[in-house]
Amino acid sequence: MTQPAAGEHAALGEEPTELKRVMGPKLLLLFIVGDILGTGVYALTGQVAAEVGGAAWAPFIVAFLIALITAFSYLELVTKYPQAAGAALYTHKAFGIHFLTFIVCFAVMCSGITSASTAARAVGSNLLVGLGIDEHSTWAVVAVALVFMALVAAVNLRGVGESVKANIVLTIVELSGLLFIILVGIFAAFGGQADFSRVMVFESPGDKNAFLAVTAATALAFFAMVGFEDAVNMAEETHDPVKNFPRMMITGIGLTGVIYVLVAIFTVAIVPVGELGASETPLTLVVERALPGFPIGSIFPFITIFAVANSALINMLMASRLLYGMAKQKVLPPFLGRVSPRRRTPTAAIVFTTVIALGLIVLVTLQEESGVIAALGGTTSLLLLAVFTIVNVAVLKLRSNIVDRRHFVAPTVLPILGALLCAFFVGPWTGRDPLQYQIAGWLLLIGVVLWFVTWAFNRPDPTKITDPNALSEREGGVN
């Protein structure tokens, strides 16, 4: 295959890469929408309603605004540095501190792998339920989850084109499920089965005031909005990322935000808040109440399977590209940057992240009674909010670094506001389960240990990289 010359790459907003560019604007949009939709809204609506009552739509709007503000920072950085590795790369270029870059890289990787591992277990559980095997053992779920994760790795190794095609199918199914809920809501509204007066009723548990209740609910709802940041790790496999990312990311976040708010409004209008908060499948209740007799109980597990399978696939794609990109920047051992000459996929990084995910599935199962599984979703959003804080600061720090291409520039007020908001939602005043901080702390401690191992592996390289731009140029980047 003939590779474009460096000047042609620059004109297209592309940098030379060993990876295969297959994602145009439409595929990129589906990738972003599919990643954000994921599994969050299928279970979170009831939990959010339990915190704020009928005003369950409000926390989703707040979470949407925080995500959108941070997305502007990501857009400036991905169009300025259209390379794999995302937040870790931006941290590396902004601060040049090996330890900080490694921890950010490890935190993002952990968020992706924990999300993918819990999604794999959900696939196992829902598949057995969908097949009518209600009395299944925990290890039966794990066996299905391990096979599923191996299948995800096989698709990932096969090629990014195959992975994106699978993402298209999965995204269409999970999007159809949510659009069906919205259509059911519209049908119920015209049939007089929806009470929209409940939508404006604010109720908080205990003696929480409105601010604390909305804060706690937003911390929950934010898990449903993460995912857009995974796309920037695919920059080296996207055609003309400088042109395509701004339009597709803003469009994708906007579409998913509208869907979430509509789902929340119709859900509360059709099902009383008390029932929603007590249910693990609130969207199933909506259909059962609006369409009595509709076999949603036999269909919903399979819709959920498609949603969680998509989350697992995209998160494993992201994690492997993150490690590949950081290996190319010499922040991680170089063997993780190996690429299949035939498939042009980062094989070493895919195998490495898959092994970790398989181990995590088994480990989480052994700790099932401790509540670890329920806390992993919150841990994912906690880690990402901390990373988002750093990314928003990195935008401002890198304003002095001029590149020789036109790129997206976020209004200065947005990264400042984004850093403050993301830092606020990391704190314990949001009402987070303390177990989330414990899990995050142990993960980061493992990251610190691995950093020492990596530092020893890469010696005599210094632990503080004083010129990240020069390093990128040596790796073939165009700055």
Side-chain angles (χ1 to χ4, degrees):
M1 180 182 295
T2 302
Q3 297 295 323
E8 294 178 75
H9 279 297
L12 291 172
E14 298 176 358
E15 294 196 357
T17 177
E18 295 179 80
L19 303 182
K20 186 177 181 180
R21 295 190 186 274
V22 300
M23 295 176 66
K26 294 179 181 178
L27 292 183
L28 180 60
L29 177 61
L30 282 172
F31 186 96
I32 294 169
V33 170
D35 199 11
I36 297 176
L37 289 180
T39 58
V41 72
Y42 283 90
L44 283 177
T45 308
Q47 298 176 37
V48 172
E51 290 288 339
V52 295
W57 48 270
F60 282 108
I61 290 179
V62 176
F64 160 75
L65 292 174
I66 296 173
L68 185 61
I69 289 171
T70 301
F72 274 87
S73 292
Y74 270 94
L75 288 176
E76 177 167 336
L77 293 171
V78 74
T79 55
K80 196 173 185 178
Y81 312 107
Q83 302 165 359
L89 174 67
Y90 312 145
T91 302
H92 177 56
K93 286 183 174 292
F95 305 105
I97 302 173
H98 189 282
F99 176 77
L100 179 61
T101 300
F102 186 94
I103 292 301
V104 168
C105 175
F106 188 78
V108 176
M109 183 194 73
C110 285
S111 73
I113 294 179
T114 54
S115 180
S117 300
T118 51
R121 290 191 84 262
V123 167
S125 179
N126 280 281
L127 180 60
L128 294 175
V129 170
L131 294 176
I133 309 175
D134 294 324
E135 296 297 327
H136 52 264
S137 70
T138 298
W139 288 105
V141 174
V142 171
V144 176
L146 293 176
V147 171
F148 168 75
M149 189 58 70
L151 180 61
V152 168
V155 173
N156 205 347
L157 286 167
R158 175 74 180 172
V160 68
E162 286 74 9
S163 300
V164 171
K165 289 174 185 176
N167 167 248
I168 292 172
V169 175
L170 298 173
T171 298
I172 290 173
V173 174
E174 66 177 327
L175 182 58
S176 299
L178 294 176
L179 292 178
F180 176 70
I181 296 297
I182 294 173
L183 290 175
V184 167
I186 294 173
F187 173 81
F190 280 104
Q193 297 171 280
D195 181 4
F196 287 99
S197 65
R198 289 201 292 254
V199 174
M200 303 307 296
V201 176
F202 179 87
E203 298 173 333
S204 61
D207 57 353
K208 283 185 181 179
N209 59 39
F211 178 78
L212 291 178
V214 171
T215 297
T218 300
L220 287 170
F222 194 79
F223 178 62
M225 287 305 305
V226 299
F228 66 88
E229 79 289 344
D230 289 344
V232 300
N233 291 281
M234 308 297 291
E236 293 186 36
E237 289 157 297
T238 301
H239 292 295
D240 199 354
V242 173
K243 176 183 177 182
N244 289 326
F245 263 96
R247 293 181 299 149
M248 296 303 105
M249 186 176 288
I250 293 174
T251 301
I253 294 175
L255 285 173
T256 52
V258 170
I259 290 172
Y260 282 168
V261 171
L262 289 175
V263 168
I265 289 174
F266 284 123
T267 300
V268 171
I270 295 172
V271 183
V273 172
E275 294 182 44
L276 286 176
S279 175
E280 294 183 1
T281 56
L283 302 190
T284 302
L285 287 180
V286 174
V287 180
E288 291 175 344
R289 189 64 52 85
L291 300 175
F294 188 85
I296 187 64
S298 59
I299 296 175
F300 189 81
F302 292 102
I303 295 177
T304 305
I305 286 173
F306 280 94
V308 298
N310 205 23
S311 292
L313 174 62
I314 292 176
N315 277 285
M316 294 306 289
L317 277 169
M318 176 276 294
S320 59
R321 272 59 180 181
L322 171 64
L323 296 193
Y324 159 82
M326 284 293 93
K328 287 297 181 182
Q329 294 288 328
K330 294 188 177 179
V331 174
L332 297 179
F335 78 89
L336 290 172
R338 292 175 184 169
V339 174
S340 167
R342 181 182 176 189
R343 294 293 175 184
R344 296 174 66 186
T345 54
T347 51
I350 292 171
V351 172
F352 186 80
T353 51
T354 300
V355 169
I356 295 176
L358 294 173
L360 186 60
I361 290 171
V362 176
L363 180 62
V364 165
T365 300
L366 296 176
Q367 301 293 325
E368 187 173 20
E369 299 300 323
S370 65
V372 170
I373 296 176
L376 282 179
T379 304
T380 298
S381 62
L382 174 64
L383 291 171
L384 288 178
L385 280 165
V387 170
F388 290 172
T389 303
I390 296 173
V391 169
N392 280 302
V393 174
V395 171
L396 302 173
K397 179 74 166 54
L398 287 168
R399 285 282 169 87
S400 60
N401 186 10
I402 307 301
V403 298
D404 60 354
R405 71 160 61 86
R406 295 181 63 184
H407 60 84
F408 184 90
V409 178
T412 302
V413 68
L414 292 184
I416 295 173
L417 185 59
L420 294 174
L421 286 172
C422 291
F424 173 81
F425 279 98
V426 168
W429 44 80
T430 57
R432 288 183 181 278
D433 184 347
L435 183 58
Q436 296 176 18
Y437 292 100
Q438 294 177 30
I439 297 173
W442 279 109
L443 288 173
L444 292 179
L445 181 59
I446 294 172
V448 171
V449 173
L450 290 178
W451 175 79
F452 278 108
V453 173
T454 303
W455 174 80
F457 188 90
N458 283 335
R459 290 182 70 186
D461 287 351
T463 59
K464 181 174 181 179
I465 301 170
T466 57
D467 190 2
N469 292 323
L471 178 60
S472 296
E473 289 168 1
R474 289 198 302 273
E475 293 299 319
V478 180
N479 288 304

